[in-house]
Each structure stands twice: as C-alpha cells, then as structure tokens.
Amino acid sequence: MTTALRFAEQAVAASVADAPGSIKALRAAGAESFKTLGFPTTRNEDWHYTSVQAIATAQFTPAIDRASSAGVTAASLAPYTFGADWPLVVFVNGRFSAALSTLGALPTGIRVLDMASASAQDADTLGKFLGTAAPADRDGFTALNAAFAGEGTFIHVAKEMVIEHPIHIVHVMDERGAGSMSHPRHVMVVERHAKASVVESYVSLADVPYFTNSVVEAFVDDGATLNVVRIQREARSAYHIGTVEARQGRDSHFLTFTFQTGAALSRSNVYTVLGGEGCGCTINGLYMLDGEQHGDHQTRVEHVKENCFSREAYKGLIDDRAHGVFNGKVYVHPEAQKTDGKQTNHTLLLSEKAQIDTKPQLEIFADDVKCTHGATVGRIDETSLFYLKSRGVGKVLAKQLLMYAFAADVLETIENPVIVEALEKLTVERFTGSSSH
C-alpha cells in the first residue's frame, strides 16, 4: 500500500469515528467500500483514458478539519454570482458558511438546508434519500465522498411548487484551502409536478492545489422538472471529480449542463435512470481545455420504461497539449419500447498536440426504438476562416469568432438567459486570453 493511500484510509477512519449519528451509516459504508475499491486505475474501462495517479499519490488534508476562511467576502464572491439575487448556499474551503449564504426568503414548501442542519432537523426525510441514488459502493470516488459525508445541501421542493429563481450553490477556495480535499454531497428532491433549477459553481480565488470530490443525488418525481447547471472553473492546479446521479419518475424531465474549463484534472460523471414511463432527460455540456489540462466526461442514460426520450450534446474546444475524453452510454432495457434517444459529441482540436478520445455507445435490448449517436473531431473550418478574412476580419479575430460560434450553439440550450450570457462572456474571455481560467 502506498503512503498516500494509507494516509487516505487513516483520514477515512478518523472521519467515521467523528460522524454525526444521522450520517454515520453512510460514512461507515463509504469507508468499507473505499478499502475494497480504492482509487480507479486505467485498467478500469470507465477510466481507461484518465489516470488519477496525481490524486491517489497526494496527501490532501480533509477540509472538515479546517476552519472557513474569514478572507472570503460577499464582494469577492460577486464575480461568480451572476449579479442575481438568487437563494445562495456558500461553502468556503469545503465548509458551509452561514454568514455568506442567503436563504431567508424561500417560500413555504421549499426547503434548502446545509447537511448538518438537515440531519439535525429532519433526519427521517434525509435518510430516505441520502446514499440511495449514489450508493457508497458505486466506485472509489463515490465511496470516498460517502466516507466524508457531512458537508453539502439538502434541497426539498414540495409537490406542485415552482421555484422562480435558481438556487445557487457556490464552492469557493482561497489560499487557505491549499492542500485540502472536500467531499460535498448534495441531495435534491423535487416532488410530483414541482419544478426547480439549481446552479452549482466551483471556483477559486487563488491558484493553489486542492481536490474537490462532489456527489449530487437528484430525485425527480412524477411530472416534475429539475434543471442542474454545473460550472467548474477551479484553479489550474486543482483536481475535480464530480458525479451526478438522478432517478426519474413518470413524465419527469431532468436537465443538466456541465461547463468545464478549470482544474489540471477534471472528471464529470452524469448518470440517470429513466424509471417512469414517458419521462426524459437532456444532458449537455461544453469543455474548453488548454495547456496540459485533462478533462473527462462520462454519461450513462438507462432507459428502463417505455416511451422515454434522452438528448445529449457535448462540445469541446481543446488547445495546446490538453486532452479531452467523452464516453457516453445509452442503455435500453428490453421493456423500454418506443425509446427515442440521440447523442452527439463534437470537438475542435486547436493545435497539433491537442487530443480527444471519444466513445459514444448504444446498448439496445428492445425492438421498437429510435436511437442515434455520433461524434466528430475536426479543426477550424478553413473555408469559413477564409470567408471572414476576405471580409477584412483579422486572422486571430476570425478564429475567435468561429470558436465562439461553435461553443455558443450548445450554450444556448441552457434555459436561463442570465446564465447563458455569463457563460458566453466566459467563453469569449477564454478565447481572447483575458481570463486566467
């Protein structure tokens, strides 16, 4: 056993010993599973193109051992909150910050609690969902998250309620988070015919090394809609593993968008089970990588019942020596007749050394289905570039315009115009070199 793995297991054991009663079982299950699973390796098919050796060999200190930084203020968060007056949940260096969070104006029927408050105030309701969509034995990173469960958010939307504005969860690191690891777990429950939107932002105020390992468990009841936008723009020396597990009821709709542009190594997993007739999911994303960055996206859509639909569209822009990975799987059970599934992945390579490994997959065990998948890998279209240059547009600006147009196409699938505008601005900044990450 390596020193780093021994260090990780010692930290896990300490975490279980200190667990609050309501989440002790999840921590214990995570600790046991992590001992068996450990960190994944490239011998695992799902991790074939992504080595996590840099994480596995580091000795990160649990964020739960650290006090939140007093240096983070509302003003320092302002660039990351869209200029909007939305319900806000803030975690600083892995710890919930009540002082920076604003949750006082929520209507009756909509509850947003930090995990400690939820486990103290409504342990029974939380216990029905915590660890059920993303069980501790799913994989090594989910096990590690379970072993450190305690920081996170519990969102519960009562039946037929509609949240007017998104709930914004912000994870922020500053220089005091250097060398730390955080394992937030968010549980989102949207009851029958309710509708909610959640934005998750992972940001850094300093370029320091740290490790974020987050899990979202989403439960979308019959006729309900849940929209989750995840924005990962962490420090260039950070590591990020993010997993979203959804369970869907009849006629429900689950939408996710992943915006990946930060971290030295990042991995986004989005998994959903279409468990009710007539339900559907929309899973989109944009990744922009340069330098030596490595960004991985893994999706799995499981069609269990009939008359369900799934739509996936991921786009990527990869420059320098960066490496992108997309592995999307659509699995159709024998009972899932009249499935309608579509999956695409399009990537632009902006340099000779940039790489992409893309693997869209269909596994179909039903007869009456309509499923398509496809992937394209290319470079900037020379004809379009020539056209712009012939109209007096400089070469650099012409390339930037084409890259922006490529990215904006998928960004505009996000329903909230405030988020679209902000992410389009980030995209432009990325291409013009006026933003660090």
Side-chain angles (χ1 to χ4, degrees), residues 40-325:
T41 71
T42 53
R43 292 191 297 272
N44 182 309
E45 183 183 356
D46 288 349
W47 294 84
H48 183 66
Y49 299 108
T50 298
S51 170
V52 298
Q53 195 70 5
I55 297 172
T57 57
Q59 295 190 15
F60 294 106
T61 303
I64 203 165
D65 296 339
R66 297 169 178 238
S68 293
S69 169
V72 177
T73 65
S76 59
L77 287 180
Y80 308 102
T81 56
F82 304 99
D85 187 21
W86 297 340
L88 187 65
V89 187
V90 179
F91 295 84
V92 178
N93 296 329
R95 305 298 303 275
F96 172 66
S97 172
L100 292 171
S101 302
T102 54
L103 297 171
L106 293 171
T108 302
I110 298 171
R111 290 187 298 155
V112 182
L113 301 170
D114 69 283
M115 197 62 72
S117 298
S119 60
Q121 297 175 22
D122 197 353
D124 290 343
T125 303
L126 178 63
K128 291 178 185 177
F129 301 100
L130 184 65
T132 59
D137 60 358
R138 184 186 221 302
D139 56 54
F141 284 110
T142 305
L144 196 61
N145 177 283
F148 286 97
E151 292 291 346
T153 311
F154 179 51
I155 298 172
H156 188 274
V157 184
K159 62 182 182 180
E160 299 179 357
M161 293 294 298
V162 176
I163 299 179
E164 184 179 355
H165 300 298
I167 297 163
H168 192 186
I169 304 171
V170 180
H171 298 264
V172 58
M173 286 282 188
D174 68 2
E175 64 279 356
R176 301 186 196 186
S180 69
M181 61 177 178
S182 62
H183 304 274
R185 180 172 290 238
H186 305 299
V187 177
M188 306 173 186
V189 181
V190 184
E191 292 191 351
R192 182 168 55 88
H193 297 303
K195 185 173 183 178
S197 296
V198 179
V199 180
E200 272 193 284
S201 294
Y202 293 85
V203 303
S204 177
L205 305 182
D207 190 9
V208 294
Y210 57 88
F211 169 40
T212 302
N213 176 34
S214 70
V215 170
V216 172
E217 297 186 271
F219 302 87
V220 194
D221 207 347
D222 294 353
T225 300
L226 174 61
N227 194 333
V228 178
V229 177
R230 303 186 77 249
I231 301 168
Q232 189 277 104
R233 48 189 298 208
E234 297 196 278
R236 286 300 187 104
S237 51
Y239 302 92
H240 181 100
I241 306 293
T243 298
V244 176
E245 285 264 13
R247 298 293 180 266
Q248 297 184 233
R250 183 185 182 99
D251 296 323
S252 66
H253 192 189
F254 177 60
L255 306 93
T256 66
F257 192 98
T258 303
F259 184 84
Q260 181 194 74
T261 188
L265 167 65
S266 56
R267 162 88 171 212
S268 168
N269 306 308
V270 180
Y271 309 117
T272 187
V273 176
L274 303 178
E277 185 177 346
C279 68
C281 66
T282 302
I283 303 174
N284 296 339
L286 174 66
Y287 47 95
M288 295 185 291
L289 310 170
D290 59 21
E292 302 281 341
Q293 285 183 294
H294 182 100
D296 188 344
H297 290 270
Q298 175 107 4
T299 69
R300 178 184 170 96
V301 178
E302 192 171 345
H303 287 260
V304 177
K305 299 293 185 179
E306 62 183 20
N307 289 307
C308 294
F309 72 89
S310 60
R311 296 288 183 270
E312 289 186 67
Y314 276 75
K315 284 193 169 188
L317 290 149
I318 307 177
D319 205 354
D320 302 326
R321 300 176 64 89
H323 184 187
V325 179

